[in-house]
Amino acid sequence: MTPERLGLLWGLTVFAGAGARLLAVLTGFPGVVLLLLSGLLIGRSGLGLVEPLDLGQGLETIVGLLVSLVLFDGGLKLRLPGDTLKTTVLRISLIRLVFSLAAGLLAAHWLAGLGWSVAAVYSAIVLATGPTVVTPLVQQIRLAAPLGDVLEAEGLVLEPVGAVLALLLLELLLGDLHGLRELAIGLLARLGGGIGIGLLVGWLLSECLRRLKPNPSIGIRLQLTLGFLFLLYGTCEWLLPESGLPASVAAGVVVGRRPTTQANELDQLIRELAQLAITMLFPLLAADVSWGELSPLGWGGVTCVLVLMLVVRPVAVSLATIGLPLDLRQKLFLAWLAPRGIVTAAVASLFSIRLEQAGVLGAGRLQGLVFLTILMTVGLQGLTAQPIAKFLGLLATDEPKNEVLDKLDTASKSL
């Protein structure tokens, strides 16, 4: 690909994303939905102006670095005050890890017609909700606490787990791993290794930021943070593939609790960069969607996704919230909102390439079903999130967030 063509690809992608953001501001339409539509417009399914595969092997690197920035930002903001929220997130994550993984496998095989091995990879890929989608939605609709915190934390916990598990299932399918024992060891090694390295690097970065002079340029702090983060991601991917994602979240959590000067200003800059990453990534990955990959799925694929949205998610949330002080309205909203995001799209695109190169049947159907899941969850849930939250009375009021959390913890202690 010529440098001129490459520059045009990025120019069109960023312009499409920025235009979608502007339209969202002017119309109040969900930004994530418009970002998705902008990618479809400029990509294979629309005008054919952007072809992500033209980036070659650089696509995986670029996507990985930008996703690490988004997850690092999520770790910075992750706040779960009180035992109730932590218990809620932990329960939802564990139950969805087991129940949703098994249910997704069965639905993809019986309804969408994927082979058992490919269906298992699909189920792992779509396991997690996407913080890259949930966070903008929560902010735009002004969702009342504590639901926004629970939804964002769920995505941050499960997204790295789903990506790592999907990679290991792919390696098992391709014969690089042998048996469930090696898969379990690989999962623990990548998650544990990534989190451990992330905690260490997060502490080192916090110490460096703390020891800087009281009034250095905020640009120096930002450059230092990005340098640590990208080196962390690159090192983890080199040592343990896919461990860079949990490492980024762990580092963000540690840095988010640092007692340094200018912390709020630095966090705001990181947040703006993370939003820019989303603006670039969503149209780029949506441009890879081809109607030719979606049409063979037929009503079986649509039914598969609807089962995940209307049956599997509500059952998992119902089981996870038994005994917790969440009322029916909050449980209903948690059961409905579960859009998939950038990491899901990125993993699907990269894995389908590996499957095609290995001659595995169903690679195109895998990518098609994953993107159908993204299109349906982002489209339907993104468009209905605010009306449903308003109908259920879950939009933020003038009551301070901390008072809401205090009431929730008081209720939990009375159980």
Side-chain angles (χ1 to χ4, degrees):
M1 186 176 188
T2 64
E4 293 79 9
R5 176 65 181 171
L6 184 61
L8 180 61
L9 182 150
W10 281 113
L12 287 169
T13 300
V14 177
F15 180 79
R21 291 283 193 186
L22 176 61
L23 190 59
V25 172
L26 295 177
T27 63
F29 209 70
V32 291
V33 176
L34 293 175
L35 285 171
L36 189 61
L37 292 176
S38 70
L40 295 175
L41 176 63
I42 63 176
R44 295 182 188 177
S45 299
L47 301 176
L49 301 175
V50 172
E51 174 52 75
L53 294 182
D54 287 344
L55 295 172
Q57 294 182 345
L59 176 63
E60 182 175 2
T61 302
I62 293 169
V63 171
L65 290 173
L66 292 179
V67 168
S68 72
L69 175 60
V70 174
L71 295 182
F72 179 79
D73 173 61
L76 283 178
K77 298 180 296 184
L78 183 61
R79 297 289 186 274
L80 292 175
D83 294 335
T84 301
L85 292 186
K86 296 174 183 175
T87 302
T88 302
V89 172
L90 182 61
R91 280 195 191 179
I92 292 177
S93 300
L94 290 177
I95 289 177
R96 289 198 63 234
L97 181 60
V98 178
F99 177 76
S100 299
L101 187 65
L105 166 66
L106 297 176
H109 177 71
W110 286 339
L111 299 175
L114 298 184
W116 284 111
S117 299
V118 179
V121 175
Y122 163 80
S123 184
I125 292 176
V126 301
L127 176 66
T129 57
T132 54
V133 182
V134 171
T135 299
L137 275 176
V138 168
Q139 293 173 348
Q140 187 169 2
I141 69 178
R142 297 181 64 249
L143 188 64
L147 293 184
D149 298 309
V150 172
L151 287 165
E152 292 183 54
E154 177 196 352
L156 286 171
V157 171
L158 279 181
E159 191 134 62
V161 175
V164 172
L165 183 58
L167 173 68
L168 294 174
L169 288 171
L170 177 68
E171 292 181 349
L172 186 66
L173 172 60
L174 297 179
D176 297 330
L177 289 179
H178 303 88
L180 296 179
R181 182 174 178 273
E182 289 190 13
L183 187 146
I185 293 174
L187 181 64
L188 293 175
R190 283 170 167 82
L191 291 177
I195 292 173
I197 297 172
L199 294 175
L200 175 61
V201 172
W203 177 79
L204 290 174
L205 175 57
S206 298
E207 286 298 302
C208 290
L209 293 172
R210 184 177 66 85
R211 294 175 185 275
L212 286 175
K213 294 179 180 181
N215 296 307
S217 166
I218 191 65
I220 298 298
R221 294 178 178 275
L222 178 62
Q223 293 167 37
L224 183 65
T225 301
L226 293 179
F228 266 87
L229 173 62
F230 290 160
L231 179 61
L232 165 66
Y233 176 80
T235 302
C236 287
E237 291 298 302
W238 175 56
L239 295 174
L240 295 167
E242 296 298 332
S243 65
L245 300 184
S248 300
V249 176
V253 170
V254 173
V255 176
R257 285 153 177 75
R258 67 198 181 287
T260 62
T261 59
Q262 296 182 308
N264 291 335
E265 188 176 355
L266 177 60
D267 290 353
Q268 182 61 36
L269 288 175
I270 294 292
R271 189 165 301 118
E272 292 297 330
L273 287 177
Q275 291 300 314
L276 176 60
I278 294 173
T279 300
M280 296 168 60
L281 283 173
F282 238 114
L284 178 67
L285 295 174
D288 195 39
V289 177
S290 169
W291 297 123
E293 295 173 342
L294 297 178
S295 56
L297 296 170
W299 287 108
V302 173
T303 305
C304 172
V305 179
L306 288 176
V307 166
L308 295 182
M309 295 172 60
L310 303 178
V311 179
V312 177
R313 170 76 179 183
V315 171
V317 170
S318 299
L319 293 174
T321 54
I322 293 175
L324 293 178
L326 296 173
D327 59 36
L328 180 60
R329 299 171 305 137
Q330 294 170 322
K331 293 180 180 180
L332 286 174
F333 194 80
L334 283 176
W336 171 242
L337 193 65
R340 274 59 172 187
I342 287 172
V343 174
T344 302
V347 171
S349 298
L350 299 172
F351 284 13
S352 65
I353 295 173
R354 289 188 59 180
L355 288 172
E356 288 177 356
Q357 292 173 343
V360 176
L361 296 177
R365 293 176 65 87
L366 169 67
Q367 185 176 14
L369 187 58
V370 170
F371 274 107
L372 181 63
T373 306
I374 296 171
L375 289 171
M376 292 182 62
T377 56
V378 171
L380 295 176
Q381 295 171 350
L383 290 173
T384 59
Q386 187 167 24
I388 290 177
K390 184 177 181 180
F391 174 78
L392 295 174
L394 297 175
L395 298 182
T397 62
D398 294 332
E399 185 176 17
K401 180 179 177 180
N402 288 338
E403 291 184 14
V404 178
L405 295 175
D406 290 341
K407 290 181 180 180
L408 186 64
D409 287 330
T410 301
S412 68
K413 292 176 182 177
S414 65
L415 292 178

